[in-house]
Amino acid sequence: MAEETPWQQALRYTNRANPYPFYAELRKTPVARQPDGTYVVSTYREIVTLLHDPRVSSDVRKLPSRAAAAVEPGAEPITEAVIELEPNIITCDPPEHDHDRRMMTRHFFGPADAPHQISDLEPDIRRIVAGLLDGMRGKTRIDVVDEYAYPLPVTLICKVLGVPLEDEPRFHAWIETALDALDFGPEAASEEMRSRLAGARRSVKELAQFMAGLLGQYAERPGPGMLSAMVHDGGPDGRMSEGVLASNAVLLLFAGHETTVNLIAHSVLTLLRHPEALEELRRRPDLIVPAVEELLRFESSVQFWHTRSAVEDIDIAGTTIPAGAPIFLVYGSANRDPQRFADPDRLDLERPDNQHLGFSQGIHFCFGAPLARLEVQVAVEEFVRRVENPRLVADPPPYRHNQIFRGPRHVLVDIDGIRD
Amino acid sequence: MRIVVDLNRCQGYAQCVYLAHEVFRLTGTEALTYEPNPDDARRLEVERAAAACPVRAIMIDRLDGAERGAAS
Amino acid sequence: MTLAATLAELVSDFRANGRIVIVGASLAGLRGAEALREEGFSGSLTIIGDEPYEPYDRPPLSKQVLKGWVPAEHTLLPRFREVDAQWRLGVAATGLDRVARQVRLADGEQVPYHRLLIATGTRARPWPNPAEAALEGVFALRSRDDAARLQRALAARPSRVLVIGGGFIGSEVASVCRELDIPVTLTERGPAPLVGALGGVIGEIAAQMQRDHGVDLRCGVSVASLEGDAAGHVRRARLSDGTTVEVDVVLAALGSIRNVEWLQGSGLAAGPWGVGCDAGGRAFDINGVVTDSVYVAGDVARMPHVLYEYQFLAMEHWDNAVFGAEVAAHNMVNLEPHYRPHLSLPGFWSGQFGVNIKSVGVPPFGDEIVFTQGSVKDRSFAAAYGRRGRIVAAVTFDHGKWLEYYARLIEQSAPFPPPPPGWDRPDVMEPVPAEFPAPGVPTAIPDVVLTGHDPNERRAEFRPRGH
Ligand SMILES: Cc1cc2nc3c(=O)[nH]c(=O)nc-3n(C[C@H](O)[C@H](O)[C@H](O)COP(=O)(O)OP(=O)(O)OC[C@H]3O[C@@H](n4cnc5c(N)ncnc54)[C@H](O)[C@@H]3O)c2cc1C
Ligand code: HEM
Ligand code: SF4
């Protein structure tokens, strides 16, 4: 068997806690062809270039060579499961993309002349965060993931969308099952991963059905939140078809919290690993805004994205990506690219010119970024302010299996108490 | 406070609009206009907006409050 | 001491004890001053500006200020560092003596310099008939005071506004009028608005956009005269096609005139074209020889660009003022081989009728255009300009996220037409003539004549027309 490429090594579960040495190796070939025909792009400049190149498609239906190429077994079926959903904005191209995203924007952020809905959530965010911290009183050990990082974003996205919070255990299980089965690395071929796939496909279907059911209910009886509003009012751009709406709703529900959880958890973890930075933030709470940008650069919640492909031959960095080839953009590596960020492995809460790619760039720039930023800023600021003498119990903590949405499964922290 | 947006850089992501809609506004889907000298009370909002701009097009005065030396 | 050491000492001595004067206290002047300090210049710095205000930003004037959202005095530019300068605001420079190295001010003072940065920009070309221009209700738009006056006139809800000239500023003002629901007529001598900057194909799209928004657009006509009432307020415009328009506000948006009069007799290559300089911002003297002590930046500069066959270009855009000033400042406090060129691609934006129009490169340099992405019907598209088989510029309407792709193609002198996109292809993807008007013969450029017979004595000299 051929030696594993740096990319394949980076994807191994054993390297989940620290893929960065492999990324450094990977960046020596900015656009690296993998044995399965995928082109992995790891450098900042090349990623930005491709994000603005109209010959790159995000539409999974335009991956002609995917089936034909000698795809690593296992890498494919989950993508197919996604294909079974109608396209949503992350898996389609203009003009559909721009049109659908515009419709969603109005309902998510509010009217174009005063899109206040997200900034209006700040008091809610503060209240939820305060409640979670109050709940830790009297404890000496907490799990930052289960008790802090997860409940906040999931509560908020449910509220914004109008998904009943009571359904959280069900959709949480479906999403977990799907995420745990998604693997792009050498381990995808293992018995273990193969056996997870069937369950994952079932979960994606159930999630889609759940969403369709909810939309159906809202069609009969309007309710709170964005989804009901979208079912009833198409606005100037018309109404979204049921299937497309359901698919985008699944995307929002899932992207709306899985990423944010990881950023909050990673932020706490990173700060506990950098006591000087933690102390600095405690002394100067106003640093929270640049700090969250740096934390996202440092540990990117979406390590790479996998649905792009070349529609035409593309010459880049001395390589030609042939038409039809899948393209992976490794944001987590670009954000540590020394050609772009001075001393990239150093955490610098006041890093100047911190134009990271944590939320990507171009037309697929993260839809929920303003909400995510607000949540994480408040969550990290309050954690730093209120938690007394937090100490990491295990370093590195255990990680979740998923490679794209990379984050710790648990972050156990010993604490001395909760300040007011 | 004083700000300027480099509208050559700006790509109309509207992040600033969602975070500080009293200061930044879109006309249509992409054309950004803004209040170049917003009230100091909006500082946090504006700083959040500047940090959120994907292309770092929003630039904030670094001498706010300090002596500018120019008679105004 | 070696020559290199002597030169290094010269540079550091200049940085510590030199005397720099900047004329023009606006975008280029301010960013130039900041860049000088950033470069380590700690000598004496004087900034001379004829406007009484500290530097402010002009682009908002024709947009959010006119709309009445932002007061004109809210346009002060942010500062990025201390400049520790003597500010001489409200006083114009009236002359330059390059032998004595002095700038003469309107109040009679002489300001000595070792190095000079010219950043006097441009002013609005006034309505040519002075009596008509003096009518109440006739405006031009360049300064913050101009904008405040015009804004007040619009706030008074005139019955109709006449905009003379369909360039960017004229079109933006027409757009604001429509947003304020004020009737507006726009006259453009050419076949469509924006033709000078973007050509007839895009101009036609802009024309349709204006009409859809209710602008009474009259192309191919000019304004013959303006007429006032007994009180001296403008009431009517007579057009070249014999029609009249009843109006009570007129904006003359006739383009710009470069502020070079104060340089008369200075022996610099200064004229209606601006001040000629090299790509490092070093001014040429009248003979086309580069000077060592005089630099130029911003709207008033005209310099060669490698990507455009070294043609001399005046780029009256915001980013050109910023980058040009930074480059000039760097070169003012350095010597060869540390000079830096101003090579960034020109770019501009214009917000009008709810559409963000952006461009990179030099569109008028192209003779063909091809639509590359999106839909003309939806006014959401990208198009590329080509010349002799290579791409030289691009324009987007509400497609700004794609512009940097085209910028990269232009920088690489990539083939024209560019490869087709993978999706969202326009209906027609054949290049067509871009339809730029033939460059008009400027009327006010004086002849340059050569004097002297001995090759060592040959010199250029300006001879005003009519002699
Ligand atoms: C209404 C308006 C809208 C615009 N919109 C856009 C836009 O959307 N996009 C874009 O890219 N660009 C736009 N521009 C152009 C942009 O503002 C200019 O490119 C920029 O201001 C150039 O800066 P400058 O410093 O070179 O010149 P200026 O801003 O013209 O400054 C020159 C300064 O020098 C002063 N001066 C002149 N002569 C003398 C003298 N003898 N002594 C002392 N001082 C003197 C002038 O009064 C002025 O203050 C717009 C301009 C205007 C007027
Ligand atoms: C820290 C938190 C988050 C991070 C790091 C993050 C990151 C990203 C990234 C990198 C992309 C681009 C994917 C691509 O390459 O195409 C993206 C897209 C997207 N994100 Fe986020 N995200 C976060 C939070 C959220 C939230 C809270 C929501 C929803 C409320 C959300 C919704 C979306 C959607 C809908 C897209 C697709 C946009 C499009 O294709 O036009 N994200 N996100
Ligand atoms: S966030 Fe940045 S790119 Fe987006 S509209 Fe605001 S200034 Fe422009």
Side-chain angles (χ1 to χ4, degrees):
Chain A
M1 197 180 135
E3 202 181 311
E4 281 182 7
T5 63
W7 174 238
Q8 290 170 320
Q9 287 173 286
L11 292 177
R12 280 202 170 272
Y13 181 68
T14 42
N15 295 325
R16 197 73 78 248
N18 185 16
Y20 300 110
F22 304 99
Y23 288 168
E25 205 47 41
L26 188 58
R27 283 192 299 269
K28 290 180 183 163
T29 314
V31 180
R33 185 183 189 280
Q34 299 303 310
D36 68 353
T38 300
Y39 284 73
V40 172
V41 188
S42 55
T43 45
Y44 187 95
R45 206 180 48 176
E46 278 65 33
I47 291 181
V48 170
T49 300
L50 290 172
L51 285 171
H52 297 276
D53 192 323
R55 295 166 300 173
V56 175
S57 166
S58 278
D59 192 333
V60 279
R61 294 162 299 177
K62 289 188 189 144
L63 273 171
S65 71
R66 187 149 203 110
V71 182
E72 292 279 328
E76 184 187 17
I78 191 73
T79 319
E80 274 176 10
V82 175
I83 294 174
E84 282 167 18
L85 292 174
E86 298 261 345
N88 55 42
I89 57 171
I90 211 165
T91 56
C92 75
D93 293 331
E96 293 79 19
H97 169 274
D98 298 2
H99 174 266
D100 292 352
R101 182 163 171 149
R102 197 162 56 232
M103 285 171 78
M104 289 160 63
T105 296
R106 199 178 51 251
H107 289 288
F108 191 78
F109 293 100
D113 55 339
H116 54 84
Q117 280 167 210
I118 295 305
S119 42
D120 285 357
L121 288 173
E122 186 166 347
D124 273 331
I125 298 176
R126 293 204 175 271
R127 199 167 28 73
I128 296 168
V129 163
L132 293 171
L133 288 168
D134 289 343
M136 295 173 193
R137 283 183 199 276
K139 293 192 181 177
T140 54
R141 176 167 291 189
I142 55 169
D143 177 3
V144 174
V145 176
D146 286 350
E147 295 172 62
Y148 197 58
Y150 182 75
L152 172 67
V154 84
T155 309
L156 273 156
I157 197 66
C158 283
K159 178 185 158 99
V160 170
L161 297 181
V163 172
L165 202 50
E166 305 84 78
D167 289 322
E168 185 273 334
R170 291 203 293 157
F171 70 70
H172 182 55
W174 292 324
I175 290 174
E176 284 285 316
T177 313
L179 282 187
D180 283 346
L182 186 58
D183 194 305
F184 298 89
E187 287 144 329
S190 70
E191 267 318 298
E192 160 82 18
M193 289 312 293
R194 283 163 176 274
S195 69
R196 288 187 192 176
L197 273 170
R201 286 168 146 259
R202 216 168 29 246
S203 293
V204 172
K205 261 201 194 106
E206 279 172 317
L207 182 57
Q209 279 161 5
F210 160 77
M211 202 47 94
L214 185 64
L215 294 174
Q217 281 175 29
Y218 280 142
E220 278 168 26
R221 201 159 21 88
M226 165 182 178
L227 298 181
S228 175
M230 284 195 76
V231 171
H232 289 279
D233 165 34
D237 282 311
R239 201 163 292 175
M240 220 179 240
S241 82
E242 254 169 60
V244 175
L245 179 53
S247 178
N248 277 303
V250 168
L251 171 66
L252 284 173
L253 176 62
F254 153 76
H257 69 284
E258 285 304 330
T259 48
T260 315
V261 179
N262 291 341
L263 183 54
I264 295 173
H266 257 143
S267 295
V268 171
L269 175 63
T270 304
L271 287 170
L272 294 181
R273 284 171 173 169
H274 294 82
E276 1 47 74
L278 178 63
E279 193 43 44
E280 184 69 10
L281 196 52
R282 195 171 279 137
R283 276 197 305 114
R284 293 177 52 198
D286 59 304
L287 275 186
I288 191 64
V289 174
V292 167
E293 301 307 311
E294 175 68 348
L295 289 161
L296 178 54
R297 181 194 71 81
F298 202 73
E299 297 283 13
S300 306
S301 304
V302 175
Q303 285 284 304
F304 60 95
W305 198 252
H306 61 290
T307 63
R308 286 182 177 75
S309 62
V311 185
E312 314 264 332
D313 288 2
I314 297 173
D315 292 326
I316 182 162
T319 305
T320 300
I321 305 177
I327 301 174
F328 285 15
L329 304 180
V330 191
Y331 301 125
S333 170
N335 285 338
R336 299 280 193 121
D337 184 347
Q339 302 275 9
R340 180 58 181 79
F341 299 102
D343 210 352
D345 297 328
R346 198 172 73 86
L347 183 76
D348 176 1
L349 300 187
E350 292 181 273
R351 183 175 286 277
D353 189 27
N354 191 357
Q355 198 181 322
H356 62 74
L357 298 179
F359 290 115
S360 186
Q361 226 185 63
I363 59 166
H364 294 283
F365 178 84
C366 177
F367 179 84
L371 173 61
R373 282 184 156 117
L374 213 50
E375 291 177 43
V376 181
Q377 284 165 4
V378 173
V380 176
E381 180 188 342
E382 290 298 291
F383 186 94
V384 168
R385 188 176 72 80
R386 293 191 58 192
V387 178
E388 267 184 71
N389 193 21
R391 299 168 313 274
L392 264 185
V393 173
D395 193 8
Y399 267 76
R400 303 162 78 184
H401 184 86
N402 196 276
Q403 296 142 334
I404 299 179
F405 307 98
R406 171 176 165 266
R409 169 90 58 204
H410 303 288
V411 177
L412 294 184
V413 173
D414 283 342
I415 60 173
D416 288 355
I418 301 293
R419 292 189 195 88
D420 284 333
Chain B
M1 65 188 300
R2 302 180 185 185
I3 58 171
V4 71
V5 181
D6 180 344
L7 290 167
N8 288 298
R9 286 184 78 97
C10 167
Q11 298 179 355
Y13 291 98
Q15 302 300 296
C16 52
V17 183
Y18 305 138
L19 294 170
H21 67 267
E22 306 272 357
V23 178
F24 303 94
R25 290 184 193 169
L26 284 184
T27 318
T29 54
E30 196 181 290
L32 182 73
T33 58
Y34 61 100
E35 158 65 271
N37 298 169
D39 198 279
D40 264 324
R42 304 229 169 261
R43 178 171 297 274
L44 176 63
E45 273 173 51
V46 172
E47 280 172 357
R48 278 178 176 167
C53 174
V55 290
R56 304 288 128 139
I58 302 169
M59 290 168 287
I60 303 179
D61 198 316
R62 299 201 196 115
L63 297 189
D64 265 343
E67 182 53 57
R68 286 196 176 81
S72 41
Chain C
M1 210 152 55
T2 64
L3 182 60
T6 313
L7 288 178
E9 186 148 318
L10 202 69
V11 167
S12 69
D13 181 54
F14 177 74
R15 287 185 183 181
N17 305 309
R19 182 175 260 287
I20 291 181
V21 170
I22 298 177
V23 183
S26 179
L27 184 60
L30 173 63
R31 294 297 175 241
E34 290 175 337
L36 281 170
R37 294 305 190 202
E38 195 70 32
E39 295 276 346
F41 176 71
S42 57
S44 132
L45 181 59
T46 305
I47 304 174
I48 299 159
D50 61 1
E51 293 185 81
Y53 310 114
E54 56 170 313
Y56 60 88
D57 205 26
R58 295 181 203 276
L61 298 179
S62 52
K63 307 173 183 87
Q64 52 269 52
V65 170
L66 277 193
K67 222 187 286 182
W69 174 27
V70 169
E73 66 274 16
H74 272 210
T75 49
L76 295 175
L77 280 164
R79 302 294 188 80
F80 300 138
R81 57 164 299 129
E82 305 271 1
V83 290
D84 186 22
Q86 321 251 154
W87 291 83
R88 300 296 314 273
L89 298 180
V91 54
T94 52
L96 170 63
D97 182 340
R98 284 170 55 228
V99 178
R101 296 193 177 215
Q102 285 181 337
V103 174
R104 191 170 54 252
L105 302 191
D107 62 7
E109 198 189 329
Q110 305 273 2
V111 186
Y113 69 86
H114 296 129
R115 294 218 154 154
L116 171 70
L117 178 61
I118 297 173
T120 45
T122 65
R123 61 182 183 275
R125 183 178 296 282
W127 182 244
N129 179 321
E132 293 173 12
L135 289 170
E136 190 93 19
V138 177
F139 299 88
L141 180 53
R142 179 79 196 173
S143 71
R144 147 183 166 178
D145 291 344
D146 294 341
R149 277 192 293 266
L150 182 54
Q151 192 275 324
R152 276 196 300 275
L154 296 185
R157 305 212 62 79
S159 63
R160 178 168 291 275
V161 173
L162 170 65
V163 175
I164 311 175
F168 282 110
I169 291 180
S171 299
E172 286 179 4
V173 173
S175 167
V176 169
C177 288
R178 292 312 301 140
E179 278 182 74
L180 298 173
D181 201 23
I182 296 170
V184 58
T185 298
L186 186 147
T187 62
E188 162 59 45
R189 261 201 299 205
L194 310 184
V195 277
L198 296 173
V201 174
I202 298 296
E204 202 37 60
I205 296 167
Q208 199 50 51
M209 180 166 82
Q210 298 210 356
R211 294 199 168 103
D212 288 353
H213 282 85
V215 176
D216 167 30
L217 176 66
R218 317 270 188 103
C219 297
V221 296
S222 50
V223 173
S225 64
L226 300 174
E227 296 171 9
D229 59 16
H233 196 290
V234 68
R235 290 298 172 214
R236 190 173 304 106
R238 281 188 191 283
L239 308 189
S240 58
D241 62 2
T243 56
T244 58
V245 187
E246 308 289 319
V247 293
D248 34 25
V249 167
V250 173
L251 173 73
L254 308 171
S256 55
I257 299 180
R258 297 179 173 86
N259 292 320
V260 293
E261 292 75 5
W262 69 284
L263 296 168
Q264 225 165 46
S266 67
L268 289 175
W273 56 83
V275 181
C277 62
D278 73 5
R282 298 189 297 168
F284 289 125
D285 72 9
I286 183 175
N287 301 303
V289 174
V290 87
T291 63
D292 287 325
S293 54
V294 183
Y295 291 73
V296 203
D299 278 10
V300 75
R302 180 177 289 267
M303 60 173 64
H305 200 297
V306 294
L307 283 181
Y308 299 99
E309 298 172 357
Y310 293 91
Q311 285 192 20
F312 278 75
L313 304 173
M315 295 169 284
E316 295 176 49
H317 304 315
W318 194 88
D319 65 333
N320 173 60
V322 174
F323 292 132
E326 285 169 4
V327 167
H330 172 89
N331 294 337
M332 288 174 90
V333 297
N334 282 287
L335 283 177
E336 211 188 336
H338 302 292
Y339 287 144
R340 236 169 47 196
H342 173 26
L343 286 184
S344 51
L345 272 191
F348 71 81
W349 78 92
S350 171
Q352 43 180 286
F353 304 100
V355 170
N356 191 24
I357 304 177
K358 295 188 85 170
S359 131
V360 281
V362 182
F365 198 76
D367 43 28
E368 287 185 291
I369 186 170
V370 63
F371 291 96
T372 51
Q373 275 177 265
S375 149
V376 171
K377 184 175 65 61
D378 297 342
R379 290 184 195 120
S380 174
F381 62 84
Y385 294 85
R387 167 163 162 140
R388 294 199 206 111
R390 72 174 186 94
I391 173 172
V392 295
V395 63
T396 57
F397 275 47
D398 277 354
H399 256 52
K401 292 185 182 69
W402 300 107
L403 201 58
E404 63 176 84
Y405 169 67
Y406 298 96
R408 213 164 275 125
L409 293 180
I410 298 163
E411 281 168 7
Q412 292 164 355
S413 274
F416 177 89
W423 30 258
D424 204 14
R425 294 188 179 172
D427 300 336
V428 182
M429 291 191 58
E430 289 301 312
V432 295
E435 294 173 15
F436 283 96
V441 183
T443 49
I445 295 187
D447 295 330
V448 177
V449 297
L450 295 181
T451 62
H453 295 290
D454 184 330
N456 291 329
E457 287 177 1
R458 299 270 296 195
R459 293 288 183 269
E461 210 172 75
F462 289 131
R463 191 177 62 188
R465 286 232 168 138
H467 286 242

